[in-house]
Amino acid sequence: DEIACALKEQFGFEVESIKALGGYEDFNYYTREASSQRELLLKIRTICTPAIKCDIVGFITESPTSDVMRKAMVHLRSHGVPAPKPIKNRNGKYYGCYKFDDPVGKRFLELYTFVPGKTVVDTSWTPKSMEEMAANVGQLCAKVTLALQTFMCELDIPKGIFNPQNFLFFQKYEKFVEDKVTAGIIKECFRMFDENFPIAKKNLRKGFIHCDLSTANIILGEDEKLWVIDFELICRSYIVFELSICVAYIMVTAVQYHGDPILMAQIAIRSYEQLLPLNTTERSFLSIAISARLATSYLSANYQATIQPQNVEYLFAQAGKCPKLLHVLHKRRINQKRKLVAFYMQTYLDLENK
């Protein structure tokens, strides 16, 4: 009833139905407008965050990231990338503030068009259909990256903890990983990132990135199109991180549906490069970035589980697959090193014999 009242007050329409949806920190609701039968997504956000400021007359204003997020969605739509459409309220703004009858009280309300369909991670895949999915998602990642290259907006949050370049921030969560072998592999991920990123970043291209282009944030719509949702982490960073995040979660989805994660990663990367070729540095750094994202996801889930024990199942739905993938990638790196050493040894022996 409170949500229906909030929508009536802020957006001026009666609600026919409301359904709670999953969410991480925000409250998300599917709602259908009574008169037009429009399907909409309502996001209810807490206003108690450091990013939110007060304007000169003391009224609470929204996070600057939220404004950039909506502008990015509009920009992507104008460049042919399917994304939800933000809806203005009765005051002509894309957000409103409503006081709910609970201890938190005031929260922000944002409304978007609802995308009917299933997320890629929640869609059932066969080995063959999974290959097509990996190719399509890889291509979508390239389209998003290319579109955001022309996106102009003021946003400077380089110290945001979810900005991929700040991967080392998560090192302090190692203590929550109980399995010693997995913890050791994660330490190795930190070491490789710490050694390689400062050198590689000189040749890594920059731009706005979605920053969470996972299979949970891509919807296979009823129209058979792939839609991009959840832009909350949008930031300026290095574009190779966008691909690394996308590929990491394609691999997670492959494990979930008993596919070959390495093959799916290769297909996605090839598809991406058909539209947006990587430079030499990006290509060599990509595997390090993928491992970093998998480690970040797993460490974050372990930490969040200590403060949100009621959400353990949700937190580990994807993150729980990360240790297996980290082990696979670690073994692959070892085998590649052995092959490289063997190659150089054989080359040396051949030269000696000559």
Side-chain angles (χ1 to χ4, degrees):
D1 289 343
E2 272 199 295
I3 293 169
C5 289
L7 286 168
K8 175 70 173 176
E9 178 185 302
Q10 292 291 321
F11 295 92
F13 64 82
E14 300 284 350
V15 174
E16 181 180 283
S17 61
I18 298 173
K19 179 183 176 182
L21 303 173
Y24 190 52
E25 291 180 337
D26 302 328
F27 295 95
N28 299 312
Y29 294 90
Y30 163 85
T31 179
R32 186 193 295 271
E33 186 179 353
S35 59
S36 68
Q37 296 294 294
R38 277 193 308 174
E39 294 181 299
L40 302 166
L41 173 69
L42 173 68
K43 280 187 171 290
I44 302 178
R45 305 179 187 276
T46 177
I47 61 175
C48 302
T49 67
I52 294 169
K53 303 175 181 178
C54 291
D55 61 22
I56 55 173
V57 291
F59 291 103
I60 297 173
T61 57
E62 64 170 352
S63 160
T65 309
S66 294
D67 182 54
V68 175
M69 174 186 76
R70 286 189 294 270
K71 288 177 179 176
M73 293 165 76
V74 172
H75 182 81
L76 287 178
R77 286 171 61 89
S78 71
H79 283 71
V81 178
K85 178 183 178 182
I87 307 295
K88 289 183 179 180
N89 65 15
R90 299 172 78 172
N91 297 320
K93 294 184 177 181
Y94 285 114
Y95 70 95
C97 194
Y98 186 84
K99 186 174 182 180
F100 288 87
D101 186 20
D102 66 8
V104 175
K106 286 186 178 181
R107 291 190 177 92
F108 281 124
L109 272 64
E110 298 174 9
L111 200 62
Y112 301 90
T113 52
F114 180 77
V115 181
K118 283 186 176 182
T119 61
V120 169
V121 73
D122 289 329
T123 303
S124 295
W125 302 101
T126 64
K128 191 65 181 174
S129 65
M130 202 181 299
E131 291 183 19
E132 184 179 355
M133 174 274 289
N136 290 339
V137 171
Q139 194 167 73
L140 176 68
C141 182
K143 289 178 179 177
V144 170
T145 304
L146 284 168
L148 289 178
Q149 289 295 289
T150 58
F151 179 57
M152 305 296 290
C153 203
E154 291 297 322
L155 179 67
D156 185 21
I157 48 170
K159 295 183 180 179
I161 64 169
F162 287 106
N163 190 320
Q165 67 198 56
N166 299 325
F167 165 62
L168 295 176
F169 170 89
F170 289 87
Q171 198 164 9
K172 63 185 180 182
Y173 296 147
E174 282 181 13
K175 60 185 178 183
F176 297 108
V177 179
E178 295 180 359
D179 182 75
K180 291 183 179 179
V181 177
T182 301
I185 292 173
I186 290 174
K187 279 184 181 292
E188 176 71 3
C189 290
F190 282 123
R191 185 191 64 77
M192 289 191 302
F193 189 91
D194 195 28
E195 287 180 1
N196 288 276
F197 178 61
I199 300 168
K201 68 180 182 181
K202 298 172 185 176
N203 296 311
L204 299 178
R205 289 171 290 178
K206 290 183 177 181
F208 271 100
I209 64 171
H210 178 285
C211 198
D212 197 16
L213 196 59
S214 72
T215 48
N217 288 331
I218 300 171
I219 291 180
L220 178 59
E222 292 178 357
D223 55 5
E224 296 299 315
K225 294 179 182 177
L226 290 177
W227 291 70
V228 182
I229 62 170
D230 285 353
F231 289 75
E232 282 84 354
L233 299 182
I234 189 168
C235 63
R236 292 184 190 275
S237 190
Y238 299 89
I239 65 173
V240 69
F241 286 127
E242 190 85 287
L243 179 59
S244 69
I245 292 166
C246 186
V247 171
Y249 286 102
I250 286 173
M251 295 174 76
V252 167
T253 303
V255 170
Q256 181 172 335
Y257 293 101
H258 311 291
D260 181 342
I262 299 298
L263 176 61
M264 295 308 121
Q266 291 169 339
I267 290 172
I269 294 166
R270 281 200 301 268
S271 181
Y272 176 96
E273 289 206 90
Q274 288 175 1
L275 294 180
L276 182 57
L278 298 169
N279 65 35
T280 303
T281 304
E282 289 167 339
R283 195 172 290 113
S284 62
F285 183 70
L286 181 59
S287 63
I288 295 173
I290 291 170
S291 293
R293 179 59 184 203
L294 291 168
T296 299
S297 179
Y298 189 60
L299 290 174
S300 179
N302 275 273
Y303 166 67
Q304 290 293 332
T306 65
I307 57 177
Q308 298 182 45
Q310 73 280 8
N311 287 334
V312 166
E313 185 177 351
Y314 177 80
L315 290 168
F316 284 95
Q318 292 193 81
K321 315 289 190 308
C322 293
K324 179 177 180 178
L325 290 168
L326 287 167
H327 282 255
V328 168
L329 292 174
H330 179 69
K331 185 176 180 180
R332 186 177 172 84
R333 281 194 297 271
I334 291 173
N335 289 337
Q336 287 173 339
K337 284 180 182 178
R338 285 173 178 167
K339 288 179 181 178
L340 191 61
V341 169
F343 170 77
Y344 283 125
M345 284 296 294
Q346 187 60 51
T347 303
Y348 173 77
L349 291 172
D350 290 345
L351 290 171
E352 283 288 297
N353 291 333
K354 288 180 181 179

